[in-house]
mmCIF file of all heavy atoms in Angstrom:
data_model
loop_
_atom_site.group_PDB
_atom_site.id
_atom_site.type_symbol
_atom_site.label_atom_id
_atom_site.label_comp_id
_atom_site.label_asym_id
_atom_site.label_seq_id
_atom_site.Cartn_x
_atom_site.Cartn_y
_atom_site.Cartn_z
ATOM 1 N N GLY K 84 0.803 -1.180 0.002
ATOM 2 C CA GLY K 84 -0.020 0.036 -0.042
ATOM 3 C C GLY K 84 0.806 1.308 0.001
ATOM 4 O O GLY K 84 0.263 2.364 -0.269
ATOM 5 N N ASN K 85 2.081 1.168 0.324
ATOM 6 C CA ASN K 85 2.900 2.427 0.372
ATOM 7 C C ASN K 85 4.096 2.521 -0.601
ATOM 8 O O ASN K 85 4.734 3.524 -0.704
ATOM 9 C CB ASN K 85 3.369 2.751 1.786
ATOM 10 C CG ASN K 85 4.339 1.712 2.322
ATOM 11 O OD1 ASN K 85 4.987 1.000 1.651
ATOM 12 N ND2 ASN K 85 4.367 1.528 3.648
ATOM 13 N N VAL K 86 4.326 1.494 -1.318
ATOM 14 C CA VAL K 86 5.496 1.457 -2.277
ATOM 15 C C VAL K 86 5.367 2.602 -3.309
ATOM 16 O O VAL K 86 6.321 3.273 -3.645
ATOM 17 C CB VAL K 86 5.608 0.144 -2.971
ATOM 18 C CG1 VAL K 86 6.628 0.173 -4.120
ATOM 19 C CG2 VAL K 86 6.039 -0.979 -1.988
ATOM 20 N N ASN K 87 4.133 2.781 -3.848
ATOM 21 C CA ASN K 87 3.943 3.836 -4.785
ATOM 22 C C ASN K 87 4.003 5.190 -4.279
ATOM 23 O O ASN K 87 3.917 6.160 -5.037
ATOM 24 C CB ASN K 87 2.652 3.543 -5.569
ATOM 25 C CG ASN K 87 2.763 2.435 -6.599
ATOM 26 O OD1 ASN K 87 3.868 2.182 -7.097
ATOM 27 N ND2 ASN K 87 1.649 1.710 -6.888
ATOM 28 N N ASP K 88 4.029 5.366 -2.935
ATOM 29 C CA ASP K 88 4.115 6.691 -2.371
ATOM 30 C C ASP K 88 5.542 7.144 -2.288
ATOM 31 O O ASP K 88 5.810 8.343 -1.913
ATOM 32 C CB ASP K 88 3.497 6.711 -0.973
ATOM 33 C CG ASP K 88 2.080 6.432 -0.920
ATOM 34 O OD1 ASP K 88 1.411 6.847 -1.939
ATOM 35 O OD2 ASP K 88 1.517 5.817 0.034
ATOM 36 N N LEU K 89 6.510 6.344 -2.704
ATOM 37 C CA LEU K 89 7.949 6.755 -2.682
ATOM 38 C C LEU K 89 8.184 7.476 -3.979
ATOM 39 O O LEU K 89 8.889 7.019 -4.912
ATOM 40 C CB LEU K 89 8.789 5.483 -2.609
ATOM 41 C CG LEU K 89 8.632 4.652 -1.270
ATOM 42 C CD1 LEU K 89 9.337 3.377 -1.404
ATOM 43 C CD2 LEU K 89 9.136 5.440 -0.111
ATOM 44 N N LYS K 90 7.696 8.740 -4.051
ATOM 45 C CA LYS K 90 7.817 9.539 -5.319
ATOM 46 C C LYS K 90 9.292 9.894 -5.632
ATOM 47 O O LYS K 90 9.669 9.806 -6.801
ATOM 48 C CB LYS K 90 7.002 10.801 -5.146
ATOM 49 C CG LYS K 90 5.529 10.558 -4.802
ATOM 50 C CD LYS K 90 4.809 9.720 -5.837
ATOM 51 C CE LYS K 90 3.272 9.525 -5.529
ATOM 52 N NZ LYS K 90 2.635 8.638 -6.469
ATOM 53 N N LEU K 91 10.015 10.373 -4.622
ATOM 54 C CA LEU K 91 11.427 10.766 -4.860
ATOM 55 C C LEU K 91 12.275 9.567 -5.217
ATOM 56 O O LEU K 91 13.093 9.651 -6.160
ATOM 57 C CB LEU K 91 11.986 11.459 -3.647
ATOM 58 C CG LEU K 91 13.412 11.997 -3.835
ATOM 59 C CD1 LEU K 91 13.554 12.970 -5.002
ATOM 60 C CD2 LEU K 91 13.925 12.684 -2.567
ATOM 61 N N VAL K 92 11.986 8.494 -4.573
ATOM 62 C CA VAL K 92 12.776 7.235 -4.908
ATOM 63 C C VAL K 92 12.412 6.838 -6.372
ATOM 64 O O VAL K 92 13.345 6.360 -7.074
ATOM 65 C CB VAL K 92 12.350 6.069 -3.917
ATOM 66 C CG1 VAL K 92 12.916 4.748 -4.418
ATOM 67 C CG2 VAL K 92 12.843 6.417 -2.551
ATOM 68 N N SER K 93 11.182 7.028 -6.776
ATOM 69 C CA SER K 93 10.817 6.701 -8.145
ATOM 70 C C SER K 93 11.603 7.590 -9.107
ATOM 71 O O SER K 93 12.104 7.134 -10.179
ATOM 72 C CB SER K 93 9.307 6.902 -8.387
ATOM 73 O OG SER K 93 8.593 5.991 -7.642
ATOM 74 N N MET K 94 11.781 8.866 -8.797
ATOM 75 C CA MET K 94 12.501 9.807 -9.684
ATOM 76 C C MET K 94 13.953 9.390 -9.697
ATOM 77 O O MET K 94 14.672 9.506 -10.722
ATOM 78 C CB MET K 94 12.302 11.236 -9.202
ATOM 79 C CG MET K 94 10.923 11.793 -9.550
ATOM 80 S SD MET K 94 10.790 13.564 -9.300
ATOM 81 C CE MET K 94 10.778 13.673 -7.475
ATOM 82 N N ILE K 95 14.549 8.985 -8.570
ATOM 83 C CA ILE K 95 15.885 8.570 -8.510
ATOM 84 C C ILE K 95 16.092 7.328 -9.369
ATOM 85 O O ILE K 95 17.156 7.200 -10.113
ATOM 86 C CB ILE K 95 16.312 8.194 -7.035
ATOM 87 C CG1 ILE K 95 16.450 9.520 -6.276
ATOM 88 C CG2 ILE K 95 17.607 7.348 -6.945
ATOM 89 C CD1 ILE K 95 16.532 9.361 -4.773
ATOM 90 N N LEU K 96 15.188 6.393 -9.418
ATOM 91 C CA LEU K 96 15.278 5.213 -10.167
ATOM 92 C C LEU K 96 15.135 5.602 -11.706
ATOM 93 O O LEU K 96 15.868 5.012 -12.569
ATOM 94 C CB LEU K 96 14.218 4.155 -9.822
ATOM 95 C CG LEU K 96 14.518 3.461 -8.498
ATOM 96 C CD1 LEU K 96 13.286 2.627 -8.072
ATOM 97 C CD2 LEU K 96 15.734 2.578 -8.583
ATOM 98 N N ALA K 97 14.267 6.511 -11.982
ATOM 99 C CA ALA K 97 14.117 6.983 -13.366
ATOM 100 C C ALA K 97 15.407 7.588 -13.867
ATOM 101 O O ALA K 97 15.855 7.328 -14.995
ATOM 102 C CB ALA K 97 13.013 7.981 -13.525
ATOM 103 N N GLU K 98 16.049 8.420 -13.061
ATOM 104 C CA GLU K 98 17.293 9.050 -13.402
ATOM 105 C C GLU K 98 18.462 7.987 -13.571
ATOM 106 O O GLU K 98 19.280 8.112 -14.446
ATOM 107 C CB GLU K 98 17.685 10.113 -12.380
ATOM 108 C CG GLU K 98 18.936 10.883 -12.720
ATOM 109 C CD GLU K 98 18.838 11.791 -13.887
ATOM 110 O OE1 GLU K 98 17.962 11.621 -14.750
ATOM 111 O OE2 GLU K 98 19.626 12.775 -13.982
ATOM 112 N N THR K 99 18.378 6.966 -12.717
ATOM 113 C CA THR K 99 19.309 5.855 -12.846
ATOM 114 C C THR K 99 19.155 5.127 -14.128
ATOM 115 O O THR K 99 20.166 4.872 -14.816
ATOM 116 C CB THR K 99 19.206 4.878 -11.622
ATOM 117 O OG1 THR K 99 19.334 5.503 -10.408
ATOM 118 C CG2 THR K 99 20.179 3.731 -11.753
ATOM 119 N N LEU K 100 17.920 4.873 -14.477
ATOM 120 C CA LEU K 100 17.635 4.231 -15.759
ATOM 121 C C LEU K 100 17.987 5.029 -16.964
ATOM 122 O O LEU K 100 18.408 4.549 -18.011
ATOM 123 C CB LEU K 100 16.201 3.838 -15.841
ATOM 124 C CG LEU K 100 15.718 2.678 -14.920
ATOM 125 C CD1 LEU K 100 14.211 2.627 -14.811
ATOM 126 C CD2 LEU K 100 16.287 1.338 -15.421
ATOM 127 N N ARG K 101 17.965 6.353 -16.821
ATOM 128 C CA ARG K 101 18.379 7.212 -17.942
ATOM 129 C C ARG K 101 19.895 7.200 -18.045
ATOM 130 O O ARG K 101 20.360 7.030 -19.208
ATOM 131 C CB ARG K 101 17.961 8.678 -17.564
ATOM 132 C CG ARG K 101 18.183 9.692 -18.760
ATOM 133 C CD ARG K 101 17.833 11.085 -18.406
ATOM 134 N NE ARG K 101 18.812 11.640 -17.402
ATOM 135 C CZ ARG K 101 20.015 12.133 -17.693
ATOM 136 N NH1 ARG K 101 20.429 12.169 -18.985
ATOM 137 N NH2 ARG K 101 20.787 12.673 -16.754
ATOM 138 N N LEU K 102 20.627 7.292 -17.032
ATOM 139 C CA LEU K 102 22.094 7.335 -17.086
ATOM 140 C C LEU K 102 22.691 5.997 -17.379
ATOM 141 O O LEU K 102 23.673 5.838 -18.100
ATOM 142 C CB LEU K 102 22.640 7.937 -15.771
ATOM 143 C CG LEU K 102 22.441 9.430 -15.590
ATOM 144 C CD1 LEU K 102 22.860 9.816 -14.173
ATOM 145 C CD2 LEU K 102 23.139 10.300 -16.592
ATOM 146 N N TYR K 103 22.090 4.914 -16.791
ATOM 147 C CA TYR K 103 22.701 3.564 -16.880
ATOM 148 C C TYR K 103 21.543 2.533 -17.196
ATOM 149 O O TYR K 103 21.177 1.753 -16.327
ATOM 150 C CB TYR K 103 23.410 3.177 -15.559
ATOM 151 C CG TYR K 103 24.562 4.087 -15.259
ATOM 152 C CD1 TYR K 103 24.368 5.159 -14.428
ATOM 153 C CD2 TYR K 103 25.799 3.834 -15.811
ATOM 154 C CE1 TYR K 103 25.480 6.006 -14.133
ATOM 155 C CE2 TYR K 103 26.919 4.664 -15.579
ATOM 156 C CZ TYR K 103 26.725 5.782 -14.725
ATOM 157 O OH TYR K 103 27.746 6.580 -14.443
ATOM 158 N N PRO K 104 20.938 2.660 -18.390
ATOM 159 C CA PRO K 104 19.871 1.751 -18.749
ATOM 160 C C PRO K 104 20.400 0.318 -18.821
ATOM 161 O O PRO K 104 21.445 0.126 -19.413
ATOM 162 C CB PRO K 104 19.449 2.247 -20.092
ATOM 163 C CG PRO K 104 20.586 2.987 -20.680
ATOM 164 C CD PRO K 104 21.286 3.562 -19.516
ATOM 165 N N PRO K 105 19.652 -0.672 -18.255
ATOM 166 C CA PRO K 105 20.096 -2.092 -18.432
ATOM 167 C C PRO K 105 20.260 -2.509 -19.833
ATOM 168 O O PRO K 105 21.206 -3.172 -20.239
ATOM 169 C CB PRO K 105 18.999 -2.896 -17.663
ATOM 170 C CG PRO K 105 18.430 -1.947 -16.724
ATOM 171 C CD PRO K 105 18.474 -0.602 -17.448
ATOM 172 N N VAL K 106 19.300 -2.113 -20.729
ATOM 173 C CA VAL K 106 19.354 -2.364 -22.125
ATOM 174 C C VAL K 106 19.793 -1.065 -22.832
ATOM 175 O O VAL K 106 19.027 -0.091 -22.854
ATOM 176 C CB VAL K 106 17.980 -2.835 -22.618
ATOM 177 C CG1 VAL K 106 18.095 -3.126 -24.143
ATOM 178 C CG2 VAL K 106 17.492 -4.074 -21.899
ATOM 179 N N VAL K 107 20.980 -1.067 -23.382
ATOM 180 C CA VAL K 107 21.465 0.129 -24.049
ATOM 181 C C VAL K 107 21.056 0.269 -25.500
ATOM 182 O O VAL K 107 21.169 1.368 -26.083
ATOM 183 C CB VAL K 107 23.006 0.186 -23.913
ATOM 184 C CG1 VAL K 107 23.458 0.105 -22.433
ATOM 185 C CG2 VAL K 107 23.712 -0.883 -24.696
ATOM 186 N N MET K 108 20.673 -0.817 -26.118
ATOM 187 C CA MET K 108 20.246 -0.741 -27.543
ATOM 188 C C MET K 108 19.247 -1.918 -27.807
ATOM 189 O O MET K 108 19.302 -2.883 -27.216
ATOM 190 C CB MET K 108 21.467 -0.799 -28.421
ATOM 191 C CG MET K 108 22.211 -2.198 -28.334
ATOM 192 S SD MET K 108 23.693 -2.190 -29.330
ATOM 193 C CE MET K 108 24.780 -1.201 -28.370
#
């Protein structure tokens, strides 16, 4: 019930995926 309330953590993960995407191509 509270995982989706982690808004800043979600943004941190989005920025991580931007800089270091698991699939690069």
Side-chain angles (χ1 to χ4, degrees):
N85 63 25
V86 170
N87 283 332
D88 294 330
L89 298 169
K90 304 299 183 185
L91 183 57
V92 171
S93 296
M94 288 191 284
I95 287 168
L96 288 170
E98 182 70 337
T99 302
L100 288 166
R101 186 184 70 81
L102 291 170
Y103 298 95
V106 179
V107 303
M108 64 184 75

